[in-house]
Amino acid sequence: MRGFPVRWPLFLSACLLAAPVSVLASEPANGSPQPRVVSGLRVTWLGHAAFEVVSPGGTRLLIDPWLKENPRTPAAWKELSRFGQEDAKPAAILVTHAHGDHAPDVPELARVSGALVVSTGEHLRAMKIPEAQQHSVNVGGSFRLGDVTVHAVPAMHSTDPGGRPLGYVVTFSDGRSLYHTGDTWLFGDMALIQELYHPDIVLLTTGGGRWGLDPKTAARAMRKYFKPSIIIPMHFGTFEPLAEEPEVRAAFAGDKRVRFLTPGQDTAL
Ligand SMILES: [Zn+2]
């Protein structure tokens, strides 16, 4: 073995560090096992309430993707044609409500990506989403998509047009779940969202202003109703009169579960 310098333990750990992705065999679909790529959950904040979530099995979701006019969205994410590329196409676009800081880019994103669009039937029809891409939901509804299950939950807000505002809980194959609150105040049924779905990760509206949960009340909602391991503040500092980041940090001071994401940064959770 002289002249063969590879040291396997080192080589293997370098591989594992460089590519934390494994390939498992999933259930045989047509007699032969199909490879299924499995990695960790990845979340990218795109500014304000917009997120890209990629599940451990590779199911890609966009949530409230207001991008083109969003002052917090990095330039590279404002060109919506990127979502038509094979490796960036979302499987579904989840929309919490119809307001201008959440939904205006959804019709174009649906066109370029061909993704399912998830919202109330009233909102989908108002956006003129092609029928084949409409995937209507309402409070209490759930559906399976790839390796995730999506649950529509209440939000205490308004919407026009669109029936009613929603939040979403996405559950993953590793047993964890992620709750996007949408725009809301705190409300007693948050206790039921905790009881039913026990979210591990909360994408939490915190900016308040004249429209919803201010930072202190958002922190109170987490203390009173939830037991997540990760809290990701959103919907702050985008425009006046939303609270700025220092105010949000102060409201959650000492809470080690809080993670402030940088828009555009792909974060493994
Ligand atoms: Zn909003």
Side-chain angles (χ1 to χ4, degrees):
M1 293 297 286
R2 273 185 63 189
F4 192 77
V6 174
R7 277 171 286 177
W8 283 102
L10 275 178
F11 174 68
L12 283 174
S13 34
C15 286
L16 288 168
L17 282 172
V21 172
S22 57
V23 176
L24 301 180
S26 65
E27 305 210 351
N30 49 13
S32 57
Q34 301 296 307
R36 178 166 61 95
V37 176
V38 177
S39 65
L41 168 63
R42 309 197 73 90
V43 172
T44 304
W45 188 31
L46 302 177
H48 202 57
F51 288 86
E52 182 187 67
V53 175
V54 184
S55 76
T59 304
R60 188 178 300 269
L61 306 172
L62 287 177
I63 309 178
D64 281 0
W66 173 51
L67 306 175
K68 287 195 337 192
E69 302 295 326
N70 183 338
R72 301 290 299 277
T73 301
W77 293 83
K78 288 177 180 287
E79 180 48 64
L80 303 191
S81 61
R82 69 177 284 149
F83 296 99
Q85 292 164 11
E86 221 36 66
D87 58 353
K89 276 186 183 177
I93 304 166
L94 313 184
V95 195
T96 63
H97 65 296
H99 289 164
D101 54 331
H102 296 258
D105 294 332
V106 171
E108 186 177 339
L109 283 164
R111 218 167 25 250
V112 300
S113 70
L116 287 182
V117 182
V118 179
S119 190
T120 60
E122 294 90 337
H123 188 206
L124 294 171
R125 288 190 288 279
M127 288 191 289
K128 298 187 166 46
I129 301 299
E131 239 171 74
Q133 287 171 262
Q134 290 187 20
H135 205 67
S136 73
V137 292
N138 215 318
V139 173
S142 299
F143 65 94
R144 182 95 183 145
L145 183 68
D147 66 328
V148 306
T149 302
V150 178
H151 309 275
V153 296
M156 187 185 283
H157 197 64
S158 70
T159 185
D160 181 26
R164 62 153 302 137
L166 298 169
Y168 292 101
V169 177
V170 183
T171 59
F172 302 101
S173 55
D174 62 7
R176 293 191 295 169
S177 56
L178 172 148
Y179 171 33
H180 186 295
T181 62
D183 282 7
T184 190
W185 194 54
L186 86 174
F187 53 97
D189 281 356
M190 283 179 164
L192 292 173
I193 295 173
Q194 168 65 23
E195 184 180 330
L196 291 167
Y197 307 120
H198 41 83
D200 300 284
I201 301 157
V202 179
L203 312 179
L204 177 65
T205 187
T206 55
R210 287 179 277 123
W211 304 295
L213 273 179
D214 60 83
K216 281 186 177 161
T217 318
R220 175 185 288 258
M222 288 299 101
R223 284 196 306 273
K224 186 171 177 63
Y225 293 117
F226 295 101
K227 294 182 170 56
S229 50
I230 299 172
I231 299 168
I232 296 173
M234 64 160 176
H235 206 285
F236 64 87
T238 321
F239 43 73
E240 299 228 331
L242 295 176
E244 295 289 340
E245 184 171 323
E247 195 183 333
V248 179
R249 284 187 181 276
F252 287 92
D255 190 335
K256 293 190 165 47
R257 302 171 300 170
V258 174
R259 300 265 300 265
F260 282 84
L261 301 189
T262 302
Q265 196 171 83
D266 180 6
T267 304
L269 296 178

